[in-house]
Amino acid sequence: MPRTIILAMVDQLAAKWVEAADDGVVDLPELRRLRAEGAEFRHAFTENPVCTPARASIATGISSSANGVGECGYRLDPAVPTFMQSLQSAGWTTAAFGKLHFLPQLEAIAPDYRPYGFDVVDNTEDTRAGAWLDWVRETHPQWYDAARATVWMTMVPELEDYGPDHENLRDEILDAQSRYPQTAQLAYELPLPAEVSQTAWITDRACEFLRHTPDGDVFAQVSYVQPHNPFTPPADYDERVEVDAIPEPIPAEWQDDPIPYFAQERYKSASYDDSDWRRERQLYFADLAHLDHEIGRLRRVLEETGRVDDCLFVFTSDHGELLHDHGLLGKWERHYDSCIRVPLMIAAPSVKPSVRRELVKHTDITASIYDWARIDPPALPVGRPGGTDTISMLHGRSLLPLLTTDAGAGDEWRDEVLVQSNNSHMDISPSSWARTIRTERHRYTRYFEGGGEQMFDLETDPDERVNLAGDPAHRAECDELRARLIEATVRDTYPNTPRSLYRLGSW
């Protein structure tokens, strides 16, 4: 029987917002079904909460410190082995649909992602220009003006010389946006039908591939741009959201008990003071309802094509979205729960339905895919007297042993995860760098260049509202976490980087 692996990703979805949906904000029946049939990890974390680094860690199975992608603006070198390349070498047909973001989006609208190990690529990313927009122009011309108005990354240089006709698409976009002024907002109803949306286009391409691909082992990465800002659900989805059930933002504790990091000009006010946070959250949750619908379409095609009986289905996000919690929007180096904790659900015939509480991270997904496909992960050569040895390149561990037996993780599973941030869109100095150690009970974060520290006791303060870093009563705990952070940061480079490696321990 042919095997199938589906990596279904969304962008900028915190685990917290899936849990809020379950508490009555909006019904997500397909994710509920996936959870009932498989395992849900409640303590899954991104290792670097921004798009390119998080996605590079999943593709390679190694951390930012080793794969060379420490922040957006870097390219993932295809010479660093990816699990897609390994599957491809083992005879699998590999495909990608939607957002990959292994390369800077300002560099090219339609980059060639095949060197990363994909046989088939239908790519569309945050810019929205490119394959999806061209498809709308060709097949739904009545909606082209509206679709063009949703292209928000107008700073991409290629827009001034777009396509074979070398049109100035930037000017056309700005002209279209004058007719759709709502597209300048953080959140708005999509001015075109759901079936014409970028989200539906991604699902359509993936479903077509699954229906028509030849027999044999198949991997597909189906990666949606939403609910990345701007939050733009189709208009008929926001009525599904129970507005009265939307939780209020967690107050901005950093205003009352500031550390030097928050003295920056961009933190002069809390985000919820200057926006209609409830409406923005409503549209974000409406986006989740639309994505849930699309996940359902994808899973039904797996059933129709007979691939569900031997399928590993993984659902996750690259990082979270603060969504006005703590008076903040976006992600980056503000390592609160809704920034760094991501949804992770895994279903396969051998997986026992369960809710897991182990501390897991993105690179564990990679190790699990190698394990399930029964393919040896890439190894690093080590010089030894009288011969050559190897060590695994991977920084993560397979989750499958936790999911396919009745045994728990025991004492051998990790008791901490490291989260790093290096620069952001607003600031490229080390003052916006951060390192976090997250244990079951605590979150400790260090900001650099005198930015200060945060320490939260998640057992007594799950909303992270009381910073204990300067409290003498918690000095011993803070000292211990600070020491653990230093060690974890150094250890994050082991196994060593594979870039330009001849042999470890060599001359």
Side-chain angles (χ1 to χ4, degrees):
M1 178 182 295
R3 295 171 293 170
T4 306
I5 300 174
I6 303 293
L7 175 57
M9 287 188 66
V10 295
D11 195 315
Q12 209 149 307
L13 173 60
K16 174 177 179 174
W17 307 128
V18 178
E19 294 160 5
D22 291 340
D23 288 339
V25 176
V26 67
D27 190 25
L28 304 177
E30 297 300 335
L31 290 185
R32 187 171 64 248
R33 174 186 164 210
L34 179 63
R35 182 187 301 114
E37 295 176 1
E40 179 184 21
F41 288 88
R42 290 292 180 93
H43 293 156
F45 294 89
T46 181
E47 295 168 76
N48 190 323
V50 69
C51 296
T52 308
R55 292 162 182 271
S57 288
I58 295 175
T60 63
I62 60 179
S63 73
S64 298
S65 302
N67 66 36
V69 184
E71 58 185 287
C72 284
Y74 279 83
R75 308 177 189 92
L76 174 61
D77 187 344
V80 178
T82 67
F83 76 81
M84 299 85 72
Q85 293 168 343
S86 295
L87 291 172
Q88 193 179 52
S89 297
W92 289 60
T93 301
T94 58
F97 306 98
K99 177 174 178 174
L100 289 172
H101 205 173
F102 298 152
L103 298 166
Q105 293 186 344
L106 296 183
E107 186 176 41
I109 289 174
D112 183 4
Y113 281 116
R114 290 173 298 176
Y116 295 98
F118 294 110
D119 299 306
V120 176
V121 179
D122 284 310
N123 175 239
T124 180
E125 308 214 3
D126 300 50
T127 59
R128 305 194 188 208
W132 169 71
L133 187 64
D134 296 344
W135 170 81
V136 174
R137 172 157 50 181
E138 180 179 348
T139 62
H140 299 280
Q142 70 274 31
W143 298 110
Y144 178 62
D145 197 45
R148 189 168 47 183
T150 69
V151 178
W152 63 274
M153 292 185 71
T154 53
M155 72 290 286
V156 179
E158 190 178 338
L159 293 177
E160 294 183 349
D161 185 20
Y162 183 79
D165 296 332
H166 302 283
E167 61 185 308
N168 189 331
L169 186 59
R170 176 181 290 157
D171 286 350
E172 296 176 16
I173 291 166
L174 296 176
D175 180 60
Q177 289 173 346
S178 69
R179 290 183 290 280
Y180 295 90
Q182 70 270 33
T183 59
Q185 301 172 5
L186 174 69
Y188 59 90
E189 293 179 351
L190 200 64
L192 43 82
E195 62 270 20
V196 184
S197 68
Q198 184 184 40
T199 298
W201 183 92
I202 293 168
T203 309
D204 289 344
R205 306 282 88 69
C207 291
E208 182 180 356
F209 167 78
L210 291 170
R211 288 190 179 108
H212 298 104
T213 195
D215 291 339
D217 297 336
V218 165
F219 166 76
Q221 180 165 334
V222 187
S223 187
Y224 298 98
V225 178
Q226 299 307 109
H228 190 290
N229 59 291
F231 315 138
T232 56
D236 54 342
Y237 277 85
D238 53 334
E239 64 187 25
R240 305 186 186 196
V241 178
E242 293 292 337
V243 177
D244 292 340
I246 295 174
E248 293 193 2
I250 297 171
E253 49 76 32
W254 47 266
Q255 289 185 316
D256 300 325
D257 186 18
I259 60 174
Y261 167 80
F262 285 105
Q264 299 179 60
E265 175 65 19
R266 57 187 164 122
Y267 296 120
K268 61 184 177 181
S269 64
S271 62
Y272 48 67
D273 290 337
D274 306 312
S275 65
D276 185 351
W277 62 264
R278 191 179 302 276
R279 176 60 175 163
E280 289 170 2
R281 286 192 168 190
Q282 179 186 4
L283 291 171
Y284 183 89
F285 282 110
D287 245 343
L288 299 193
H290 186 214
L291 288 162
D292 186 80
H293 171 78
E294 297 301 306
I295 294 293
R297 290 179 57 206
L298 180 63
R299 298 196 75 205
R300 282 189 289 276
V301 170
L302 290 170
E303 294 167 355
E304 294 167 9
T305 56
R307 288 191 169 271
V308 74
D309 292 333
D310 201 2
C311 176
L312 177 69
F313 193 100
V314 180
F315 172 81
T316 194
S317 176
D318 52 358
H319 51 75
E321 160 61 59
L322 286 152
L323 201 60
H324 298 295
D325 265 1
H326 305 279
L328 302 169
L329 282 165
K331 60 276 184 180
W332 301 298
E333 71 274 12
R334 294 84 58 85
H335 291 174
Y336 292 94
D337 180 77
S338 48
C339 173
I340 65 174
R341 189 166 63 90
V342 296
L344 176 58
M345 303 174 194
I346 299 177
S350 58
V351 169
K352 297 178 180 295
S354 60
V355 175
R356 310 296 308 195
R357 304 210 174 262
E358 292 85 3
L359 296 168
V360 303
K361 54 185 184 176
H362 272 153
T363 50
D364 296 333
I365 296 173
T366 324
S368 303
I369 290 174
Y370 278 112
D371 188 9
W372 196 84
R374 299 187 291 278
I375 295 174
D376 291 333
L380 301 173
V382 181
R384 302 288 189 200
T388 302
D389 200 355
T390 61
I391 59 171
S392 173
M393 185 185 75
L394 301 186
H395 286 198
R397 297 173 58 182
S398 174
L399 302 171
L400 298 187
L402 303 179
L403 306 181
T404 54
T405 69
D406 293 325
D411 296 331
E412 297 182 357
W413 198 259
R414 69 175 66 90
D415 58 4
E416 64 188 29
V417 292
L418 174 72
V419 181
Q420 67 168 286
S421 289
N422 312 290
N423 300 343
S424 68
H425 297 330
M426 288 75 69
D427 178 60
I428 60 169
S429 74
S431 63
S432 288
W433 291 21
R435 295 292 184 275
T436 287
I437 196 81
R438 175 58 157 85
T439 68
E440 183 178 359
R441 180 163 180 170
H442 292 99
R443 194 263 285 182
Y444 171 84
T445 299
R446 175 70 180 269
Y447 291 96
F448 299 95
E449 289 197 335
E453 305 168 293
Q454 290 180 314
M455 187 186 83
F456 299 100
D457 185 334
L458 304 175
E459 186 175 293
T460 61
D461 179 27
D463 288 340
E464 302 169 295
R465 297 179 64 173
V466 181
N467 181 12
L468 301 174
D471 187 341
H474 295 273
R475 181 175 299 161
E477 296 162 285
C478 191
D479 288 347
E480 178 189 353
L481 289 165
R482 188 183 301 113
R484 291 176 69 171
L485 177 65
I486 293 170
E487 182 164 338
T489 300
V490 174
R491 198 173 58 243
D492 191 49
T493 60
Y494 182 85
N496 307 55
T497 179
R499 293 172 291 159
S500 305
L501 176 66
Y502 165 65
R503 185 179 298 167
L504 297 175
S506 184
W507 297 99

